[in-house]
Amino acid sequence: MIDVVIHVELRGMADESVYAELHQGMLARKWRATLTTDDKQDLPLPDLTYSGQTEETVDSVSQTLHDWIVASIWNEGATVLVTELTAWSISGDY
């Protein structure tokens, strides 16, 4: 099992309803829009960025999400970046 962070970029001029559908679809697929700290505090991620755990490779997750987005959400294209998370830190005002 690996921890991943996913960021999605849609091509073209998607409107708010497309982004809302994408967001709901990602949540339904058990991807979270937060990162959880060691003390169990959930911190929000930037828009269209998600986290979670998977047994798949980063390549497989990226391709599967891309194919779903283009087939079901936005056929104008998307870029899906999946990064294996080994450590993280956050600074700033929340």
Side-chain angles (χ1 to χ4, degrees):
M1 190 75 73
I2 61 171
D3 294 309
V4 296
V5 171
I6 301 162
H7 182 74
V8 179
E9 293 281 336
L10 298 179
R11 299 290 170 235
M13 300 295 290
D15 64 24
E16 294 280 330
S17 66
V18 173
Y19 286 106
E21 185 178 354
L22 172 62
H23 182 70
Q24 289 305 312
M26 291 295 284
L27 297 178
R29 284 163 175 73
K30 307 299 183 205
W31 299 111
R32 299 182 312 270
T34 61
L35 279 176
T36 304
T37 65
D38 290 340
D39 63 355
K40 306 299 183 213
Q41 179 183 5
D42 285 331
L43 300 176
L45 290 168
D47 290 343
L48 299 177
T49 305
Y50 301 89
S51 69
Q53 291 187 322
T54 184
E55 291 183 3
E56 297 180 57
T57 65
V58 292
D59 291 336
S60 178
V61 172
S62 178
Q63 192 64 57
T64 299
L65 288 173
H66 175 269
D67 292 348
W68 162 69
I69 291 166
V70 172
S72 301
I73 304 293
W74 187 247
N75 65 4
E76 290 191 30
T79 300
V80 180
L81 171 66
V82 179
T83 305
E84 183 175 354
L85 187 62
T86 56
W88 66 276
S89 174
I90 191 166
S91 299
D93 301 313
Y94 307 102

